[in-house]
Amino acid sequence: MAASPNAAPQLIGTSGDSLREAFGKALADLADRDPRIVVLDADIAGGTGAHHFRTRHRDRFIQCGIAEQNMMAMAAGLAATGHVPVVTTFAVFCLRAIEQARLSIAYARRNVKIVASHPGIDVGPDGGSAQALEDLAAFRAIPGMTVLSPADPLDMAAAIEAAIAFDGPIYMRTGRSPATRIYERRDDFEIGKGHVLRDGKDVAIIACGVEVARALAAADLLANDGIAASVVNMATIKPIDHALLEELSARTGAIVTAEDHNTLGGLGGAVAESLALHRPCPAEFVGVRDQFGRSGEPGELAELFGLTAPAIAAAARRVIARKSP
Amino acid sequence: MTLLAAETLPETLAPHAVSFPYLASLAVTTRRLAIAGIFNAGSGHPGGSLSSADLLAALYGAELYIPGGDATNPVRDRFVLSKGHAAPALYGIWAAMGWLSPEEAVTLRHRDSRCQGHPHVLDLPLSEASTGSLGQGFSVAIGMALGTRMKGLSSRAYALLGDGELQEGEVWEGAMFAAHHDLSNLLAVIDYNKLQSDDLNANICGLEPLASKWRAFGWHAIEIDGHDLPEIIGAFAAASRVTDRPTVVIAHTVKGKGVPYMENEAPWHGSVKLTRDQASEALLALGVAADRLEDWIHGRIA
């Protein structure tokens, strides 16, 4: 394993910075030195973090109105004329315009970055209609679409920088709620590579987005029982890091995935496909089990839908029990 | 796209000064190659390909600035066939312009051909966009109009839309956006042949009053006969003088124009299989000599 997680990252507490705010600030900074960047917004910039870009780069901020289909396909036209468009809206509205993302962006291989805030039950009080639990699966199925879901504010800033530097269409989740900080530095972000945050031989927990912090907390719970868990921030859902999964499967023989998403087709699906092809081992999938979300505070909903650290730890114990003797 | 060497250009297609007989010859070549391609493919949409041929001839022959058919020229105009099912006509006009070999234009829908059933920009860069899902090409063209304007380029963006396509909500999202942003370098052309896949627009989901709709959305709207080349050219000239808003040219056309048995008949909208007799009858109606039918079917048009 290339990563050397000797000093296991410690949770350094919840900050006021959500992933969406971290995204917006980082993008505004990037645009200071990259004139190619333009941002498209559908009357929701205050919610997506794009307001930071609007304040600093008014002339490159394109207000599209509440019209996501036109916004998504227009971005392809902007890319075709040499801009690097960043489409910003809520994840559910990216699903609304997914056919435009498919045909006008991905099929035409246009260099558009689709940045989706408000994914998963982390959305909280707005309820089931607003909580995208299908987006990773849907966008992952589009040929040529890279799919990212960073874990904390520094990871987010590194991810948007990598996404802008990357030539090709990307779908990336941010997040609504204040994020638990995981990284003190994040200067080694690489699209397509998982990052091993903690090394343990008994089980590997593969997580993305808000679930990474919970996976680290789950590893602490497991350590109390003498179980050594690896924890991976799998910020790239597609292309999935086959080499890392193969190695973890070989070394631990038990995998748990954790995501704020339907357990069908997202990170769990990507990991299961990879394991089945390269190095099969028992796996458990933590996520929302093919249901819609509902209103509630994000922490309450994590309890309700089984996305908490104890739920991840329980899945780890189950999968360890399934290991071949 | 490979530009044909000048010496390989059929004499009838040699570039010359714009004239209405020249545009008419582009249109008839476009129609013939569209029919040949659809016959060879065993499927394809003849009705809307034939109805749009004169519009395409006027656009490519006299209006669009695309020197040498070079799709990498940053100051070129951009044309997007938003009604992507008229691809047979698009490949036909490119061949008529000398930008695509006519032999390739009639390989429509074949596995190894760049001429897919709907235009794909990675296969043929002059497509500018990959289309075939109605409404999207219009939005892409709007993005191009905005994108070139933001770069200070003089390029214009054009989109050809079908009438049934106007039932897509995305079109009206784009119409609002383009007017709000005063995109006077954007021109939409509607191939208004009144028929869509199943029936008349008026029986499916009526569009009228169409010009009033566009005007209410903040556009300059011009209504013309979409088979009258001087009227089409006149409308483009009028559009170029509008500097404060986008323009839509509502071109009244005849579905299947030029092939009498197809004209105004809804069944020829859809993807149809032409028999050899039907293809021959169509090509004869389009002025192909009886002893040249086989040549045209194979794109040997010199």
Side-chain angles (χ1 to χ4, degrees), chain A residues 40-45 61-72 74 88-89 93, chain B residues 173 176-177 180-181:
Chain A
L40 293 89
D41 164 50
D43 190 28
I44 207 164
F61 177 82
I62 302 165
Q63 177 57 261
C64 300
I66 306 169
E68 292 82 8
Q69 298 175 66
N70 181 58
M71 173 169 71
M72 196 71 83
M74 271 201 324
T88 58
T89 185
F93 304 136
Chain B
E173 293 182 0
M176 271 193 282
F177 179 94
H180 182 83
H181 291 266

Side-chain angles (χ1 to χ4, degrees), chain B residues 102-144:
Chain B
E103 291 86 351
E104 181 168 7
V106 300
T107 60
L108 180 73
R109 293 175 172 242
H110 285 207
R111 191 195 66 181
D112 298 329
S113 172
R114 295 185 296 172
C115 298
Q116 292 205 55
H118 297 80
H120 184 28
V121 68
L122 297 185
D123 287 334
L124 293 164
L126 269 176
S127 305
E128 302 288 359
S130 296
T131 58
S133 176
L134 299 176
Q136 294 195 33
F138 179 52
S139 295
V140 174
I142 296 168
M144 289 170 166

